[in-house]
Amino acid sequence: MIDLSQTSSQTAQKSSTRKPFSLGKTTLTVVSVLTYMFLYIPIIILVLYSFTTDAFGARLTGFTLSWYEQLWRDQRLMGATLNTLYVAFVSMIVSTIIGTMTALALERFRFRGRAVYDAFLYLPVVIPEIVMALSLLAFFSFAFNLIRQLTGIQLRNGLATVIISHIAFSISFVVIVVRASLRGFDQRMEEAAYDLGANSWQTFWRITFPLILPGIIGGGLLAFTISLDDFIISFFTTGPGTSLLPVEVYSQVKRAVTPKINAISTLMLAVSMTLVVLSQVVQRPRT
Amino acid sequence: MAIETVPPPASHEALSQQRRARERLKVFGLVFPGLFWLTFFFALPLVVIFIYSFLTPGPRGDVVWIFTFDNYARLFTESLFVNAYIRSIWLGILTTVICLIIGYPLAVFIAQAPPRWRTILLFMVLIPFWTNFLVRTYAWMIILQNNGLINWIVTSLGFPRLSLMNTQTAVLIGLVYGELPFMVLPLYASIDRFDFTLMQAASDLGASKFRAFTRVMLPLTMPGIAAGSVLVFIPTVGQFVVSDLLGGAKVDMLGNLLQRLFTRANPPNWPLGSALALMFMLVLMILIVFYFRSTTEDDR
């Protein structure tokens, strides 16, 4: 094998007109650098303008931290931030567990109704988010009406309804990511474990789980991001008393562009980046 | 466990039956939580708006239990709705295509980078994605507004001020910016699995780079393209934040109409909103099924 590849690379060098294949490395690099600039320039501007003294947030007229001070005093915004992080965390945990279980069932077992369930799982991804949000709004109002008529208890939309909805939305995404990693590895390793006398529980925790862990973490991160990022479902399923950060930012942006919004955005960005780095550190020793 | 410790059974049938029962229990345990959650908090809500779409709107934003087809009739006769469909789908297609054109080279670049760099490069795509969608849209408001960055550059160079806000271009920029990572991730996943020596093989056999790309790489990475396109197209068409903030009221997409019918209209009209949401969903599903059919056929 080694000899063969050497001779072929030697003949390749002899013919000398042909280099190892690449899709035009230079062009690719330039295009990619431009794309990264496209991705980052708006964010850099956002961060820079959170320190400007210009109240309209349109010019860099000087450096100040007063916008950040104002944030700390804004009880509403702080409460909304905590709510959002809480919702994202709970939603991530639950949807990652449920999603991983579902992915395992679909990838490793044959059962009746599997194909139908498989198709059904794609629906939350395929259906526009706003349709799902509106249907949940209608559903909760319908269900709460029913509960009031049956028991006399009046339930209201709040954090619980947002969390329930975020989980319902995230499960399918986790399933897709975890399934991809279940398909991506050599299944003979699982068979080998069974052959060596391991039961399915041991095989899962010793073989499958470590191998698909990047996929599970990836799915979890996606679920967390979806929840943190989500405005539409939160907007329609939250109650009047409970504010979430995206909903709060939306109502402020609609009113006016101020560096205060830049400041809260910058903080969100810092939290996200810390989490990304953290997840990397956690992931490294395992893989 | 039980199977291993039990002494050899009388017949193979008993063993396989026992194993099958355990298998069934395992499957049930794994499937149940997901099935339960999605039935209650995904399928049932859709049933609720399906029922609502045939009811009569009440005077105070409530529903009256009188059966009617009026809601659907209005959807097909009022140009307000028809125009919103067409604009939404058109912007969705444009966004998807632009994301694909930008995202594919980026995904190839990341997949061909040295392994140590891949994770970092991928995370660099993800980081903007980790910031809130609203925040990202807001960042473009700062750049595009009348006294924003682009106009500062334009006027410094002596050109007249551009009005970029509240245009379709502004909405398109915001949509592409917001959805690009959704395209890059699945593309990367399938390009990463692609064996680049196949390209070498194709060129050894005399194919040009372009031909090798269209005949070998493109078909083999089609699952990634399909997944990315669907992941970009769906949220785009249902958007109302980007079109609301960057397009003003001038670039009305379906999402904007839906939001108004459910929350802002006075009084809210849930039955009409439900009918619109369901029709919208149905049209999209037909498009997606059609799209998946055509891509899988290409794969074969």
Side-chain angles (χ1 to χ4, degrees), chain A residues 245-260:
Chain A
L245 192 58
V247 181
E248 191 60 32
V249 170
Y250 176 75
S251 67
Q252 295 204 8
V253 167
K254 286 293 280 181
R255 259 177 271 141
V257 173
T258 71
K260 195 173 152 190

mmCIF file with all atom_site columns, all heavy atoms in Angstrom, chain A residues 245-260:
data_model
loop_
_atom_site.group_PDB
_atom_site.id
_atom_site.type_symbol
_atom_site.label_atom_id
_atom_site.label_alt_id
_atom_site.label_comp_id
_atom_site.label_asym_id
_atom_site.label_entity_id
_atom_site.label_seq_id
_atom_site.pdbx_PDB_ins_code
_atom_site.Cartn_x
_atom_site.Cartn_y
_atom_site.Cartn_z
_atom_site.occupancy
_atom_site.B_iso_or_equiv
_atom_site.pdbx_formal_charge
_atom_site.auth_seq_id
_atom_site.auth_comp_id
_atom_site.auth_asym_id
_atom_site.auth_atom_id
_atom_site.pdbx_PDB_model_num
ATOM 1   N N   . LEU A 1 245 ? -35.018 38.482 28.021 1.00 0.00 ? 245 LEU A N   1
ATOM 2   C CA  . LEU A 1 245 ? -34.115 39.475 27.460 1.00 0.00 ? 245 LEU A CA  1
ATOM 3   C C   . LEU A 1 245 ? -34.420 39.848 26.002 1.00 0.00 ? 245 LEU A C   1
ATOM 4   O O   . LEU A 1 245 ? -34.541 41.030 25.687 1.00 0.00 ? 245 LEU A O   1
ATOM 5   C CB  . LEU A 1 245 ? -32.665 39.011 27.618 1.00 0.00 ? 245 LEU A CB  1
ATOM 6   C CG  . LEU A 1 245 ? -31.634 40.094 27.328 1.00 0.00 ? 245 LEU A CG  1
ATOM 7   C CD1 . LEU A 1 245 ? -31.822 41.300 28.211 1.00 0.00 ? 245 LEU A CD1 1
ATOM 8   C CD2 . LEU A 1 245 ? -30.236 39.537 27.489 1.00 0.00 ? 245 LEU A CD2 1
ATOM 9   N N   . PRO A 1 246 ? -34.577 38.852 25.111 1.00 0.00 ? 246 PRO A N   1
ATOM 10  C CA  . PRO A 1 246 ? -34.859 39.232 23.722 1.00 0.00 ? 246 PRO A CA  1
ATOM 11  C C   . PRO A 1 246 ? -36.138 40.067 23.594 1.00 0.00 ? 246 PRO A C   1
ATOM 12  O O   . PRO A 1 246 ? -36.180 41.013 22.816 1.00 0.00 ? 246 PRO A O   1
ATOM 13  C CB  . PRO A 1 246 ? -35.007 37.894 23.009 1.00 0.00 ? 246 PRO A CB  1
ATOM 14  C CG  . PRO A 1 246 ? -34.266 36.926 23.839 1.00 0.00 ? 246 PRO A CG  1
ATOM 15  C CD  . PRO A 1 246 ? -34.429 37.397 25.247 1.00 0.00 ? 246 PRO A CD  1
ATOM 16  N N   . VAL A 1 247 ? -37.143 39.714 24.371 1.00 0.00 ? 247 VAL A N   1
ATOM 17  C CA  . VAL A 1 247 ? -38.411 40.437 24.298 1.00 0.00 ? 247 VAL A CA  1
ATOM 18  C C   . VAL A 1 247 ? -38.215 41.869 24.788 1.00 0.00 ? 247 VAL A C   1
ATOM 19  O O   . VAL A 1 247 ? -38.714 42.836 24.184 1.00 0.00 ? 247 VAL A O   1
ATOM 20  C CB  . VAL A 1 247 ? -39.496 39.719 25.136 1.00 0.00 ? 247 VAL A CB  1
ATOM 21  C CG1 . VAL A 1 247 ? -40.819 40.448 25.043 1.00 0.00 ? 247 VAL A CG1 1
ATOM 22  C CG2 . VAL A 1 247 ? -39.645 38.282 24.696 1.00 0.00 ? 247 VAL A CG2 1
ATOM 23  N N   . GLU A 1 248 ? -37.442 42.003 25.867 1.00 0.00 ? 248 GLU A N   1
ATOM 24  C CA  . GLU A 1 248 ? -37.155 43.318 26.432 1.00 0.00 ? 248 GLU A CA  1
ATOM 25  C C   . GLU A 1 248 ? -36.337 44.168 25.448 1.00 0.00 ? 248 GLU A C   1
ATOM 26  O O   . GLU A 1 248 ? -36.652 45.335 25.214 1.00 0.00 ? 248 GLU A O   1
ATOM 27  C CB  . GLU A 1 248 ? -36.373 43.123 27.746 1.00 0.00 ? 248 GLU A CB  1
ATOM 28  C CG  . GLU A 1 248 ? -36.206 44.353 28.596 1.00 0.00 ? 248 GLU A CG  1
ATOM 29  C CD  . GLU A 1 248 ? -37.515 44.963 29.041 1.00 0.00 ? 248 GLU A CD  1
ATOM 30  O OE1 . GLU A 1 248 ? -38.479 44.215 29.248 1.00 0.00 ? 248 GLU A OE1 1
ATOM 31  O OE2 . GLU A 1 248 ? -37.563 46.207 29.141 1.00 0.00 ? 248 GLU A OE2 1
ATOM 32  N N   . VAL A 1 249 ? -35.302 43.553 24.861 1.00 0.00 ? 249 VAL A N   1
ATOM 33  C CA  . VAL A 1 249 ? -34.453 44.274 23.897 1.00 0.00 ? 249 VAL A CA  1
ATOM 34  C C   . VAL A 1 249 ? -35.288 44.712 22.691 1.00 0.00 ? 249 VAL A C   1
ATOM 35  O O   . VAL A 1 249 ? -35.166 45.841 22.223 1.00 0.00 ? 249 VAL A O   1
ATOM 36  C CB  . VAL A 1 249 ? -33.265 43.395 23.450 1.00 0.00 ? 249 VAL A CB  1
ATOM 37  C CG1 . VAL A 1 249 ? -32.529 44.018 22.273 1.00 0.00 ? 249 VAL A CG1 1
ATOM 38  C CG2 . VAL A 1 249 ? -32.300 43.189 24.607 1.00 0.00 ? 249 VAL A CG2 1
ATOM 39  N N   . TYR A 1 250 ? -36.153 43.818 22.233 1.00 0.00 ? 250 TYR A N   1
ATOM 40  C CA  . TYR A 1 250 ? -37.002 44.142 21.087 1.00 0.00 ? 250 TYR A CA  1
ATOM 41  C C   . TYR A 1 250 ? -37.829 45.400 21.362 1.00 0.00 ? 250 TYR A C   1
ATOM 42  O O   . TYR A 1 250 ? -37.864 46.320 20.541 1.00 0.00 ? 250 TYR A O   1
ATOM 43  C CB  . TYR A 1 250 ? -37.914 42.957 20.766 1.00 0.00 ? 250 TYR A CB  1
ATOM 44  C CG  . TYR A 1 250 ? -38.917 43.201 19.662 1.00 0.00 ? 250 TYR A CG  1
ATOM 45  C CD1 . TYR A 1 250 ? -38.519 43.228 18.329 1.00 0.00 ? 250 TYR A CD1 1
ATOM 46  C CD2 . TYR A 1 250 ? -40.268 43.390 19.951 1.00 0.00 ? 250 TYR A CD2 1
ATOM 47  C CE1 . TYR A 1 250 ? -39.432 43.434 17.309 1.00 0.00 ? 250 TYR A CE1 1
ATOM 48  C CE2 . TYR A 1 250 ? -41.197 43.592 18.937 1.00 0.00 ? 250 TYR A CE2 1
ATOM 49  C CZ  . TYR A 1 250 ? -40.775 43.615 17.628 1.00 0.00 ? 250 TYR A CZ  1
ATOM 50  O OH  . TYR A 1 250 ? -41.693 43.814 16.627 1.00 0.00 ? 250 TYR A OH  1
ATOM 51  N N   . SER A 1 251 ? -38.453 45.436 22.526 1.00 0.00 ? 251 SER A N   1
ATOM 52  C CA  . SER A 1 251 ? -39.313 46.591 22.797 1.00 0.00 ? 251 SER A CA  1
ATOM 53  C C   . SER A 1 251 ? -38.483 47.871 22.934 1.00 0.00 ? 251 SER A C   1
ATOM 54  O O   . SER A 1 251 ? -38.941 48.956 22.582 1.00 0.00 ? 251 SER A O   1
ATOM 55  C CB  . SER A 1 251 ? -40.170 46.337 24.039 1.00 0.00 ? 251 SER A CB  1
ATOM 56  O OG  . SER A 1 251 ? -39.369 46.272 25.186 1.00 0.00 ? 251 SER A OG  1
ATOM 57  N N   . GLN A 1 252 ? -37.235 47.734 23.438 1.00 0.00 ? 252 GLN A N   1
ATOM 58  C CA  . GLN A 1 252 ? -36.380 48.921 23.541 1.00 0.00 ? 252 GLN A CA  1
ATOM 59  C C   . GLN A 1 252 ? -35.859 49.379 22.176 1.00 0.00 ? 252 GLN A C   1
ATOM 60  O O   . GLN A 1 252 ? -35.791 50.570 21.903 1.00 0.00 ? 252 GLN A O   1
ATOM 61  C CB  . GLN A 1 252 ? -35.211 48.651 24.492 1.00 0.00 ? 252 GLN A CB  1
ATOM 62  C CG  . GLN A 1 252 ? -35.670 48.427 25.921 1.00 0.00 ? 252 GLN A CG  1
ATOM 63  C CD  . GLN A 1 252 ? -34.585 48.724 26.939 1.00 0.00 ? 252 GLN A CD  1
ATOM 64  O OE1 . GLN A 1 252 ? -33.516 49.234 26.611 1.00 0.00 ? 252 GLN A OE1 1
ATOM 65  N NE2 . GLN A 1 252 ? -34.858 48.404 28.191 1.00 0.00 ? 252 GLN A NE2 1
ATOM 66  N N   . VAL A 1 253 ? -35.492 48.401 21.339 1.00 0.00 ? 253 VAL A N   1
ATOM 67  C CA  . VAL A 1 253 ? -35.000 48.731 19.996 1.00 0.00 ? 253 VAL A CA  1
ATOM 68  C C   . VAL A 1 253 ? -36.094 49.434 19.194 1.00 0.00 ? 253 VAL A C   1
ATOM 69  O O   . VAL A 1 253 ? -35.836 50.390 18.465 1.00 0.00 ? 253 VAL A O   1
ATOM 70  C CB  . VAL A 1 253 ? -34.530 47.461 19.249 1.00 0.00 ? 253 VAL A CB  1
ATOM 71  C CG1 . VAL A 1 253 ? -34.315 47.739 17.773 1.00 0.00 ? 253 VAL A CG1 1
ATOM 72  C CG2 . VAL A 1 253 ? -33.252 46.935 19.868 1.00 0.00 ? 253 VAL A CG2 1
ATOM 73  N N   . LYS A 1 254 ? -37.333 48.950 19.357 1.00 0.00 ? 254 LYS A N   1
ATOM 74  C CA  . LYS A 1 254 ? -38.453 49.561 18.643 1.00 0.00 ? 254 LYS A CA  1
ATOM 75  C C   . LYS A 1 254 ? -38.594 51.027 19.036 1.00 0.00 ? 254 LYS A C   1
ATOM 76  O O   . LYS A 1 254 ? -38.987 51.861 18.226 1.00 0.00 ? 254 LYS A O   1
ATOM 77  C CB  . LYS A 1 254 ? -39.763 48.827 18.971 1.00 0.00 ? 254 LYS A CB  1
ATOM 78  C CG  . LYS A 1 254 ? -39.895 47.483 18.316 1.00 0.00 ? 254 LYS A CG  1
ATOM 79  C CD  . LYS A 1 254 ? -40.026 47.546 16.818 1.00 0.00 ? 254 LYS A CD  1
ATOM 80  C CE  . LYS A 1 254 ? -41.460 47.883 16.397 1.00 0.00 ? 254 LYS A CE  1
ATOM 81  N NZ  . LYS A 1 254 ? -41.543 47.905 14.908 1.00 0.00 ? 254 LYS A NZ  1
ATOM 82  N N   . ARG A 1 255 ? -38.274 51.348 20.297 1.00 0.00 ? 255 ARG A N   1
ATOM 83  C CA  . ARG A 1 255 ? -38.411 52.728 20.760 1.00 0.00 ? 255 ARG A CA  1
ATOM 84  C C   . ARG A 1 255 ? -37.289 53.607 20.230 1.00 0.00 ? 255 ARG A C   1
ATOM 85  O O   . ARG A 1 255 ? -37.534 54.623 19.627 1.00 0.00 ? 255 ARG A O   1
ATOM 86  C CB  . ARG A 1 255 ? -38.461 52.755 22.297 1.00 0.00 ? 255 ARG A CB  1
ATOM 87  C CG  . ARG A 1 255 ? -39.874 52.902 22.838 1.00 0.00 ? 255 ARG A CG  1
ATOM 88  C CD  . ARG A 1 255 ? -39.886 52.850 24.347 1.00 0.00 ? 255 ARG A CD  1
ATOM 89  N NE  . ARG A 1 255 ? -40.029 51.487 24.829 1.00 0.00 ? 255 ARG A NE  1
ATOM 90  C CZ  . ARG A 1 255 ? -39.396 50.992 25.885 1.00 0.00 ? 255 ARG A CZ  1
ATOM 91  N NH1 . ARG A 1 255 ? -38.543 51.737 26.561 1.00 0.00 ? 255 ARG A NH1 1
ATOM 92  N NH2 . ARG A 1 255 ? -39.596 49.759 26.267 1.00 0.00 ? 255 ARG A NH2 1
ATOM 93  N N   . ALA A 1 256 ? -36.033 53.211 20.452 1.00 0.00 ? 256 ALA A N   1
ATOM 94  C CA  . ALA A 1 256 ? -34.911 54.028 19.991 1.00 0.00 ? 256 ALA A CA  1
ATOM 95  C C   . ALA A 1 256 ? -33.612 53.238 20.014 1.00 0.00 ? 256 ALA A C   1
ATOM 96  O O   . ALA A 1 256 ? -33.479 52.270 20.760 1.00 0.00 ? 256 ALA A O   1
ATOM 97  C CB  . ALA A 1 256 ? -34.763 55.256 20.899 1.00 0.00 ? 256 ALA A CB  1
ATOM 98  N N   . VAL A 1 257 ? -32.658 53.655 19.175 1.00 0.00 ? 257 VAL A N   1
ATOM 99  C CA  . VAL A 1 257 ? -31.323 53.073 19.173 1.00 0.00 ? 257 VAL A CA  1
ATOM 100 C C   . VAL A 1 257 ? -30.481 53.816 20.199 1.00 0.00 ? 257 VAL A C   1
ATOM 101 O O   . VAL A 1 257 ? -30.230 55.003 20.055 1.00 0.00 ? 257 VAL A O   1
ATOM 102 C CB  . VAL A 1 257 ? -30.673 53.207 17.777 1.00 0.00 ? 257 VAL A CB  1
ATOM 103 C CG1 . VAL A 1 257 ? -29.220 52.753 17.825 1.00 0.00 ? 257 VAL A CG1 1
ATOM 104 C CG2 . VAL A 1 257 ? -31.444 52.394 16.765 1.00 0.00 ? 257 VAL A CG2 1
ATOM 105 N N   . THR A 1 258 ? -30.083 53.137 21.288 1.00 0.00 ? 258 THR A N   1
ATOM 106 C CA  . THR A 1 258 ? -29.226 53.781 22.279 1.00 0.00 ? 258 THR A CA  1
ATOM 107 C C   . THR A 1 258 ? -28.058 52.867 22.623 1.00 0.00 ? 258 THR A C   1
ATOM 108 O O   . THR A 1 258 ? -28.162 51.652 22.490 1.00 0.00 ? 258 THR A O   1
ATOM 109 C CB  . THR A 1 258 ? -29.979 54.093 23.601 1.00 0.00 ? 258 THR A CB  1
ATOM 110 O OG1 . THR A 1 258 ? -30.220 52.857 24.265 1.00 0.00 ? 258 THR A OG1 1
ATOM 111 C CG2 . THR A 1 258 ? -31.273 54.816 23.362 1.00 0.00 ? 258 THR A CG2 1
ATOM 112 N N   . PRO A 1 259 ? -26.933 53.458 23.055 1.00 0.00 ? 259 PRO A N   1
ATOM 113 C CA  . PRO A 1 259 ? -25.765 52.642 23.412 1.00 0.00 ? 259 PRO A CA  1
ATOM 114 C C   . PRO A 1 259 ? -26.044 51.690 24.562 1.00 0.00 ? 259 PRO A C   1
ATOM 115 O O   . PRO A 1 259 ? -25.300 50.745 24.778 1.00 0.00 ? 259 PRO A O   1
ATOM 116 C CB  . PRO A 1 259 ? -24.719 53.688 23.820 1.00 0.00 ? 259 PRO A CB  1
ATOM 117 C CG  . PRO A 1 259 ? -25.143 54.924 23.143 1.00 0.00 ? 259 PRO A CG  1
ATOM 118 C CD  . PRO A 1 259 ? -26.635 54.891 23.118 1.00 0.00 ? 259 PRO A CD  1
ATOM 119 N N   . LYS A 1 260 ? -27.117 51.926 25.296 1.00 0.00 ? 260 LYS A N   1
ATOM 120 C CA  . LYS A 1 260 ? -27.460 51.029 26.390 1.00 0.00 ? 260 LYS A CA  1
ATOM 121 C C   . LYS A 1 260 ? -27.761 49.625 25.855 1.00 0.00 ? 260 LYS A C   1
ATOM 122 O O   . LYS A 1 260 ? -27.385 48.625 26.459 1.00 0.00 ? 260 LYS A O   1
ATOM 123 C CB  . LYS A 1 260 ? -28.683 51.589 27.108 1.00 0.00 ? 260 LYS A CB  1
ATOM 124 C CG  . LYS A 1 260 ? -28.945 50.973 28.454 1.00 0.00 ? 260 LYS A CG  1
ATOM 125 C CD  . LYS A 1 260 ? -30.078 51.720 29.133 1.00 0.00 ? 260 LYS A CD  1
ATOM 126 C CE  . LYS A 1 260 ? -30.814 50.813 30.080 1.00 0.00 ? 260 LYS A CE  1
ATOM 127 N NZ  . LYS A 1 260 ? -32.048 51.422 30.575 1.00 0.00 ? 260 LYS A NZ  1
#
